[in-house]
Amino acid sequence: MPAWSTSTTQGRTDTRVAQTVLLLCVLALTLLGFVMIYSAGAPSALSEGENAASYVLDQLKFAILGVIAMVILWRFIPYSAWSGVFVWIIWAVSVGLLLMVAVSGSRALGATRWLYLGFFSLQPSEFFKITVLLMFARMLFDYQSGRLSAQGFLVQLFCCVVLPIGFMYITQSDLGTTLICFVGLMAVAWLGEVPKRILLGVMAVFFVFGLIAVFGTGYRSDRMLFLNPWDDGEDGYGNGFQLIHSFYAFAEGGLFGVGLGNSREKFLYLPEAETDFIFAVVGEELGLVGAMVVVALFLGILWSSLRIARLAPDMFGLMVAGGCGIMLTAQAFLNIGCVVGLLPTTGKPLPFLSSGGSSLIATFILIGLILSVARGADLQPSVYEQRRADLRIIKTQHTTGGSGAGRSTGGRGSYDTHSSRSSRSTHTEHTSHTSHTSRSSRNQTASHTSRSSRTRR
């Protein structure tokens, strides 16, 4: 639950610690990504007749764009803007890009998922997954706040979330992004306190859908060879070739690795060494220790994003920060699971490390949204600032007739309270003074009368 600590100063400290951890993890992964992309991509670049540093130079350009987007979201756009009309605009743009891919997209690596826009290519599904998360968080927040009825929530859920995801899956055959979208939506629902029975029911339905999607399609069912890649019907030179060489890379790396830049598998033995399977090159060159450092950095991102979510000012901030953090780390561990042979290959890149502009920019956007929630929590007034803001100063002006009128520099409620108290106090003092004067006069009169009587006698 988004609840500030009884000491808001402590809450601010916790938020800033979480921000610092998040930024350090992002910085470390980004720098490591530059190094590993240069190391893993140089052989491929040279084989294509390009500069050995061409991959890392492209990654640097996209990183600059991603950092700019992150800073804009962090410092200039409050996260609450995504709970209003603005989210409909980016939703319409994202869905429009999906339609453009279906109509005029470019096919690569067996799938149509890219748009070539002049001098660069764009993968809209990387940005669509963020849009659908924000849209679902807004819908759930409006429903919980009473601004959206149950019927309206279900209609919007189908039209704005389920239908576009289904369209993306059918037109792009992208089960990996569909899975990541599902994880993000389930994270938002869990953080939004949707009943567990509903969550379990949705998970069961998606599990059945996943089985049908995998075993109902030939090339996906072939990926189940991850259980035994050597038994691919071609003595390891068929569909199991890539995973087998990933195993070779980890075996060569051992505990401390063969040294930075000394990988053998990257020399065109391991397909997609600079993108989907870059974690295998990390394991070979930096060993188990280096691979575990990468895992620890992603766990740091998960911890800091959930910590920021816990300290969010409202439920919408909680769902946005937590959902973005879980979505990012889910993609990371999905890629790692595929590379080490725990999951079938999905073709999803490793955030920050894999070469790819759309993925990198989208990852920085997720970080920017998390930091935006942290900034909103950091701007909340502390207990002492709130008390100082609630203080009201009562000024009394004396009129020429000697009467006073109370004026407050604060709000009307405070003015009424303090004015009534001041009036009651003044009235009490006046009554007491009048009573005292009356008693004194009566005593003086009685004394004078007594003395007069004695004089006459």
Side-chain angles (χ1 to χ4, degrees), residues 436-449 451:
H436 177 72
T437 304
S438 178
R439 286 195 301 269
S440 299
S441 299
R442 287 196 300 269
N443 291 338
Q444 290 176 0
T445 302
S447 177
H448 177 72
T449 303
R451 286 197 301 270

Side-chain angles (χ1 to χ4, degrees), residues 208-388:
V208 174
F209 162 76
L211 292 178
I212 296 174
V214 171
F215 294 102
T217 308
Y219 74 92
R220 289 201 187 102
S221 60
D222 291 340
R223 294 177 181 177
M224 298 305 293
L225 286 170
F226 79 95
L227 299 172
N228 186 8
W230 286 272
D231 187 20
D232 61 356
E234 300 180 34
D235 295 328
Y237 289 95
N239 293 322
F241 180 83
Q242 189 172 29
L243 186 56
I244 288 173
H245 281 272
S246 178
F247 291 162
Y248 289 162
F250 284 110
E252 287 288 334
L255 186 60
F256 297 105
V258 297
L260 192 62
N262 294 328
S263 169
R264 298 178 182 177
E265 295 299 324
K266 69 182 180 183
F267 287 100
L268 308 183
Y269 293 105
L270 179 65
E272 308 299 329
E274 74 281 357
T275 54
D276 300 347
F277 274 75
I278 196 169
F279 188 69
V281 180
V282 173
E284 184 178 6
E285 295 190 351
L286 304 181
L288 179 64
V289 173
M292 288 298 100
V293 168
V294 172
V295 172
L297 290 173
F298 281 113
L299 289 176
I301 290 178
L302 178 62
W303 175 86
S304 57
S305 61
L306 291 179
R307 186 64 176 172
I308 289 171
R310 179 182 177 274
L311 298 171
D314 55 23
M315 184 63 75
F316 182 70
L318 169 72
M319 292 186 289
V320 169
C324 289
I326 292 174
M327 175 180 279
L328 192 155
T329 51
Q331 179 171 334
F333 289 118
L334 176 63
N335 175 276
I336 292 173
C338 296
V339 173
V340 300
L342 294 177
L343 297 171
T345 304
T346 59
K348 299 310 297 177
L350 183 61
F352 297 111
L353 271 73
S354 293
S355 175
S358 298
S359 174
L360 186 62
I361 295 174
T363 302
F364 275 112
I365 289 175
L366 288 172
I367 298 298
L369 291 171
I370 298 171
L371 291 173
S372 177
V373 176
R375 177 173 171 78
D378 198 37
L379 292 177
Q380 289 293 308
S382 67
V383 175
Y384 306 106
E385 290 171 340
Q386 188 64 44
R387 289 176 180 175
R388 285 195 294 268

Side-chain angles (χ1 to χ4, degrees), residues 47-349:
S47 68
E48 297 169 0
E50 298 181 2
N51 184 359
S54 60
Y55 283 105
V56 72
L57 290 177
D58 290 341
Q59 190 78 351
L60 180 60
K61 296 175 185 177
F62 290 120
I64 293 173
L65 294 176
V67 169
I68 292 173
M70 180 189 74
V71 172
I72 291 174
L73 290 171
W74 177 15
R75 307 299 296 184
F76 300 105
I77 300 180
Y79 74 92
S80 57
W82 307 106
S83 63
V85 179
F86 195 50
V87 72
W88 287 99
I89 298 175
I90 64 166
W91 179 86
V93 172
S94 299
V95 173
L97 290 175
L98 292 180
L99 292 173
M100 291 178 63
V101 171
V103 174
S104 59
S106 299
R107 189 174 182 84
L109 301 176
T112 304
R113 301 172 186 171
W114 287 266
L115 280 176
Y116 280 96
L117 305 175
F119 57 92
F120 70 98
S121 61
L122 181 71
Q123 189 174 356
S125 60
E126 290 289 339
F127 304 97
F128 171 74
K129 66 186 182 184
I130 304 174
T131 302
V132 77
L133 185 146
L134 292 174
M135 177 61 74
F136 182 63
R138 182 204 64 80
M139 291 162 43
L140 188 55
F141 181 66
D142 285 349
Y143 173 71
Q144 292 175 337
S145 303
R147 293 191 293 268
L148 188 64
S149 65
Q151 182 179 2
F153 173 78
L154 293 176
V155 170
Q156 289 192 17
L157 178 63
F158 178 77
C159 296
C160 301
V161 176
V162 177
L163 196 60
I165 292 177
F167 177 79
M168 180 193 67
Y169 169 74
I170 294 173
T171 57
Q172 300 186 19
S173 187
D174 194 350
L175 183 60
T177 302
T178 303
L179 176 60
I180 294 171
C181 288
F182 174 76
V183 172
L185 296 178
M186 291 299 293
V188 171
W190 170 61
L191 294 168
E193 300 180 349
V194 173
K196 293 181 179 179
R197 64 180 183 276
I198 297 178
L199 296 180
L200 293 175
V202 173
M203 291 175 65
V205 171
F206 188 83
F207 179 75
V208 174
F209 162 76
L211 292 178
I212 296 174
V214 171
F215 294 102
T217 308
Y219 74 92
R220 289 201 187 102
S221 60
D222 291 340
R223 294 177 181 177
M224 298 305 293
L225 286 170
F226 79 95
L227 299 172
N228 186 8
W230 286 272
D231 187 20
D232 61 356
E234 300 180 34
D235 295 328
Y237 289 95
N239 293 322
F241 180 83
Q242 189 172 29
L243 186 56
I244 288 173
H245 281 272
S246 178
F247 291 162
Y248 289 162
F250 284 110
E252 287 288 334
L255 186 60
F256 297 105
V258 297
L260 192 62
N262 294 328
S263 169
R264 298 178 182 177
E265 295 299 324
K266 69 182 180 183
F267 287 100
L268 308 183
Y269 293 105
L270 179 65
E272 308 299 329
E274 74 281 357
T275 54
D276 300 347
F277 274 75
I278 196 169
F279 188 69
V281 180
V282 173
E284 184 178 6
E285 295 190 351
L286 304 181
L288 179 64
V289 173
M292 288 298 100
V293 168
V294 172
V295 172
L297 290 173
F298 281 113
L299 289 176
I301 290 178
L302 178 62
W303 175 86
S304 57
S305 61
L306 291 179
R307 186 64 176 172
I308 289 171
R310 179 182 177 274
L311 298 171
D314 55 23
M315 184 63 75
F316 182 70
L318 169 72
M319 292 186 289
V320 169
C324 289
I326 292 174
M327 175 180 279
L328 192 155
T329 51
Q331 179 171 334
F333 289 118
L334 176 63
N335 175 276
I336 292 173
C338 296
V339 173
V340 300
L342 294 177
L343 297 171
T345 304
T346 59
K348 299 310 297 177

